[in-house]
Amino acid sequence: GAVGSNGTVSASGNDTSGTIAVNVGVGASSGTLVSVSFRSQFGSTPSVVVTPVGRYVPMYINRTSTGFSIVTTSALSPGGYAFDYHVMQ
């Protein structure tokens, strides 16, 4: 839904930092844009900091000991978006 028709998501990095690239297609809606699963579960819910790169994105983060998700509060326009993330226990 939030990525739209023909939208794509890719990530580079590891459990503690990286970059997520999202190409939003047509007909996107608000909701979960991307879910990231950690390779190794943390002992408790870590702090997760996500920063949109290059443009404003209305969003919030859900996090657990096994991963996190980026949720948009309104539909994004078609195009490329990037997010840097840092995870700290």
Side-chain angles (χ1 to χ4, degrees), residues 50-67:
V50 176
T51 306
V53 178
R55 62 164 92 177
Y56 170 76
V57 176
M59 62 171 211
Y60 63 90
I61 307 302
N62 287 323
R63 58 192 172 93
T64 68
S65 62
T66 59

Side-chain angles (χ1 to χ4, degrees), residues 11-62:
S12 62
N14 54 42
D15 284 355
T16 58
S17 66
T19 300
I20 301 165
V22 179
N23 183 29
V24 174
V26 296
S29 62
S30 62
T32 301
L33 189 62
V34 61
S35 293
V36 174
S37 296
F38 300 134
R39 183 173 296 248
S40 298
Q41 180 174 339
F42 284 86
S44 60
T45 302
S47 296
V48 179
V49 178
V50 176
T51 306
V53 178
R55 62 164 92 177
Y56 170 76
V57 176
M59 62 171 211
Y60 63 90
I61 307 302
N62 287 323

